[in-house]
Structure formats: C-alpha cells, structure tokens
Amino acid sequence: MPIATINPATGETLKLFESLTQEQIEEKVRLAADTFRSYRRTSFEEREWMMLRAAEILEAEKQEFGRLMTTEMGKPIKAAVQEAEKCAWICRYYAEHATHHLADKVVVTNATKSFVRFQALGPVLAVMPWNFPFWQVFRFAAPALMAGNVGLLKHASNVPQCALAIEEIFGRAGFPDGVFQTLLITSDMVERVLIDPRVAAVTLTGSEPAGRSVASIAGKQIKKTVLELGGSDPFIVMPSAPIEDAVTTAVKARTINNGQSCIAAKRFIIATESYDEFEHRFVEAMRALRVGDPMEQTTDIGPLATERILEELDGQVTKSTAAGARVLIGGKRLARAGNFYEPTVLANISKESPAYCEEFFGPVALLFRVNKIDEAIQLANATTFGLGASAWTNDVQEQARFIDQLEAGCVFINAMVASDPRLPFGGIKNSGYGRELGEFGIREFVNIKTVWIK
Ligand code: NAP
C-alpha cells in the first residue's frame, strides 16, 4: 500500500509520501535511543507540564485535527472532533495520575525494606491502525511518555498526515526531539525497526495477521509486546431489557466510526421474547441513518476508509447471503463515488456463514435469535475473539452470569462497550493480550523492578 492521503469520500489522491530510507530510519532510531538516556531522568513534573500542553493544543485545534482525520479516513466530522477532545482527556489523565500509578510500591517482607519500582524500558515501537487515527496513538503515547519511554510511531499508510500532525503536537508541547517520532514506512519495513537492539518493545493495534507477524518477530527477539487486535463483540438483549434504549444504543454501537471499530457491537443476540420487536425497531433505525459527506455535521455514516475494506466487507456479505443469510436492509455499496456502503442488517445466519464467526468491519449488523440465557452465552462465546461484550438485562442474576461467563476483556451491562482512560482496555483469545489505559496500561512498558534492602 503506498503511503498516501486518499479521500475515501471521493477517491481522490490528495498527497503521496516517500517511505523513509534505511539511513533515515537509522538516524531516527539513533535519536530515539540517545534521547531516552536523558529523557528517562526527567521528573514526573516536567513530563506532566508537557503532557498538559499537548492537551491544550489538542483542545485549541480540535477542528483542524478533526478535518484532517475525516479527510484521510472518512469518519463523520463530529466524531473526529470528539476524538481530538478524547485525546486531550487521556493526556490530562496520565499527566495527573502517572506519579500515583508508578510510585514505588512498598511490600512488607523480612527485609529491612522491600519495594517495587517501575522504570521505563526505552524506545517503544507503536504500529497503529487508521480507524481512530489520533486516539489509538495517544492511548499508547500518553502513558508511555509519562512513564519515561520514548515512542516510534509506524502509523497506517492511509493516515500519514495524522501521523505527522501527532509528532508535531508533541514537539510543540515541549517534548525534546526524539521523544516521539513518526516513521513513514510501509509494513514490510517494520521488522527492520523491531529487530534493532535499541528498540525495547512493541505495541500493535490492528488485524490478526499483522499481530501474528509482529508478535512472532518480537518473540524471536524476546521483546515485550502488547497486541490489540480485532473483535466480533456480542450485544445481548434479554426480555427484561429496556427495549427502546437497547435499540438506540445498538444502532450507535454498530455504526460508530462508520462501523469500523474493534469494539463495535457486531453480533446482536436477542432473546426470542424480544426478537421481533427488536428486529423491527432496529431495521427502521438503521434505515433512518444519514449516509453521506463526512464533512457535514448531520452525517451519521461516511465512507469506509479504503476501497480494500469495502471490497472485503462486500465479499463477506455476498458469501453470507449465499450461505442462507437474509438481507433485511442494505447489502451493497452505494452507487456513487467514494467507498460508501449501505447500512445493512443480516438475519437467519447459519454456522457455515462468514457472518457467524468473522469480524465485519463496516456498517453491517448480524442478528441472532436465542431461546434462553445459556444459548445466548454459548453463542456469544462461539468466536475466536474476546474483546468486549454488551449485555442488556434488568435481572441481577442474569447480569451476574454475563459478568462471570462472557469470554471478553470487558463486559458492559445495559450500556455499549466504550474505552475510557481510567479503565483497562484489551482482549483475550485472538483479540490479543496486554492492556492499555488506566493503571494497567501504564505498567505495560516498564521494568517492574524488585528492590530488597537488608
Ligand atoms: P492492519 O492491516 O493490521 O493495519 C494496522 C497496522 O499494522 C498498520 O499500521 C499497518 O500498516 C500495519 N501492518 C499491517 N500488516 C503488517 C505486518 N505484516 N507487519 C507489520 N505491520 C503491519 O489493520 P486494518 O485492517 O487496517 O485495521 C483494522 C483491524 O484493526 C481490525 O481487525 C480491528 O478490529 C483492529 N483494531 C483493533 C483495535 C483494538 O484496540 N483491539 C483497535 C482498532 C482496530 P500499513 O497500513 O502500512 O499496512
């Protein structure tokens, strides 16, 4: 894939970028390693000051950053501006809490004194996706930099201007050169960076194949890895659920970010008592969504980020209908320029259908009818993924079973799955390992050093 800004709403190529040469990569890795030696000794107060400045820049220029995101990957402008605001939030969160999360932790033993100290690891490579082109990067960078690490960003090839804008934000915030650098490189050049002994660790957010590849290279090098991969999150509705609220939230949870979110609700598992009403209301609400120019404030769904994503999604829908799935609405790309796909709902999904087990990365909802809670839990867990799960019920015993038995990195009851700087985020099974956000996130890229004093 070339490194380029291609407007997904029009298909127009706006800007092409050259990939870095081997010499330029060497220069940036050298700068990262040199900078780490001094940056790791800066105080939390100094880092806090710079991180708060980054938050101010994000807030002051959120409209410009929002337009950049929308231009490069097509999310509705309203959501893009909110994304810039959320990045400011995470900068403030870690600015204010890093000292506490990484304070020495005294452990009483038979030593005179024993404690745990958390120390930065070094340059961390971040391989990031385009779907939340600012948020994904900031949720790595804010904790990593507050912990005293330095960052090297390999962003997705379709959001190069976002990648450069983020590097500029950290520079303007006062972080020394080399604390956060963008590497404009293609994915085949990641290995070259990762095997460099000066690079201490890697985090990847993206697809399963990319995760497997990066983790196996890191494994050979014995380097710490965090993987945030895909998901096929269940959204379960039981008979006691407030149906109107559940439907409104279900539509939002499926179509957020034009349907391209790892934690979007993808499989809607509905108790038979509620199924018909849910299906009717849900299809009507999907029909009412406004698809169009993502720069318009009133647009609900913009184009998919790339032609490839659209073709993959369309192929999955076609194969699913060939395997017996019924199209309740949508089911094809829109006849206009750009990567627009109709809001789509599929029902009657058989086990043989891709819709039963694959991740659908776009505005396509998959409906399932179940008879009782055991069946709901079994179906929810019948996936190789384990990222998030949303369950709707006012029955406390049912709530307890969902919390206990759903195989996922998080369970949200009567709410949609969402990320929050204060709470850990990550998956199990093929959704990856490790955690971002909260106190667990900032402790991923640190040496947890045991100290014993006699
Ligand atoms: P992708 O192809 O895996 O791309 C993600 C990043 O990995 C990009 O920077 C990409 O670079 C790079 N990459 C791809 N193949 C690579 C390889 N073999 N070695 C090294 N780097 C490689 O992901 P996508 O399909 O664009 O993004 C959607 C996926 O990400 C979905 O599965 C989604 O669920 C997942 N996701 C997960 C989370 C989470 O937090 N769990 C969040 C967002 C998205 P190029 O662009 O240059 O190819």
Side-chain angles (χ1 to χ4, degrees), residues 32-317:
D34 288 350
T35 306
F36 175 62
R37 276 190 282 280
S38 51
Y39 180 68
R40 70 185 307 181
R41 290 197 300 273
T42 55
S43 65
F44 278 118
E45 290 68 32
E46 285 171 85
R47 294 176 210 158
E48 179 184 329
W49 186 87
M50 295 183 282
M51 200 55 80
L52 290 175
R53 179 75 194 112
E56 284 164 12
I57 295 169
L58 282 157
E59 274 158 359
E61 295 166 36
K62 63 186 178 187
Q63 301 295 342
E64 290 80 356
F65 296 136
R67 272 197 294 280
L68 187 53
M69 289 183 234
T70 299
T71 303
E72 289 203 303
M73 54 67 66
K75 73 173 62 205
I77 186 71
K78 252 189 322 197
V81 172
Q82 282 164 5
E83 183 169 333
E85 288 168 353
K86 193 167 176 182
C87 293
W89 180 20
I90 198 170
C91 289
R92 288 190 195 288
Y93 172 80
Y94 278 111
E96 286 158 14
H97 292 86
T99 323
H100 173 70
H101 291 332
L102 298 181
D104 287 351
K105 188 172 166 6
V106 173
V107 181
V108 178
T109 64
N110 52 347
T112 310
K113 185 175 183 190
S114 50
F115 62 94
V116 181
R117 175 156 294 174
F118 303 98
Q119 289 183 315
L121 286 183
V124 181
L125 173 64
V127 182
M128 290 289 142
W130 45 265
N131 61 343
F132 293 92
F134 269 53
W135 170 243
Q136 299 290 355
V137 177
F138 275 90
R139 74 186 198 178
F140 148 71
L145 268 48
M146 281 307 298
N149 294 298
V150 303
L152 289 165
L153 169 67
K154 183 276 180 267
H155 216 327
S157 295
N158 56 327
V159 289
Q161 296 194 59
C162 287
L164 293 169
I166 295 168
E167 180 183 63
E168 201 184 304
I169 291 169
F170 284 118
R172 284 169 59 200
F175 286 96
D177 282 353
V179 170
F180 185 92
Q181 298 179 83
T182 283
L183 307 176
L184 288 183
I185 55 173
T186 47
S187 59
D188 55 342
M189 295 164 88
V190 166
E191 180 167 10
R192 147 84 181 76
V193 181
L194 190 46
I195 61 174
D196 190 300
R198 292 164 294 186
V199 173
V202 62
T203 178
L204 178 137
T205 300
S207 62
E208 251 182 282
R212 282 183 203 286
S213 166
V214 164
S216 54
I217 297 164
K220 282 199 194 108
Q221 306 296 320
I222 317 183
K223 287 185 185 179
K224 176 72 190 270
T225 311
V226 168
L227 295 181
E228 298 286 359
L229 308 177
S232 187
D233 285 8
F235 187 106
I236 303 166
V237 180
M238 298 303 288
S240 66
I243 195 86
E244 201 174 330
D245 193 10
V247 169
T248 310
T249 310
V251 172
K252 186 172 170 206
R254 176 56 282 199
T255 57
I256 193 164
N257 214 36
N258 305 339
Q260 304 159 119
S261 167
C262 51
I263 48 168
K266 290 166 190 151
R267 296 174 299 136
F268 297 85
I269 299 171
I270 316 298
T272 194
E273 295 90 328
S274 310
Y275 185 90
D276 292 337
E277 186 182 358
F278 182 93
E279 181 188 287
H280 174 72
R281 285 175 181 249
F282 185 74
V283 167
E284 289 315 306
M286 289 287 276
R287 204 191 302 282
L289 293 172
R290 281 165 302 225
V291 182
D293 180 356
M295 286 294 179
E296 294 287 337
Q297 290 291 338
T298 51
T299 292
D300 296 311
I301 300 191
L304 298 179
T306 64
E307 179 72 26
R308 175 181 68 83
I309 300 274
L310 184 137
E311 280 168 9
E312 271 177 27
L313 183 72
D314 197 36
Q316 287 172 307
V317 170

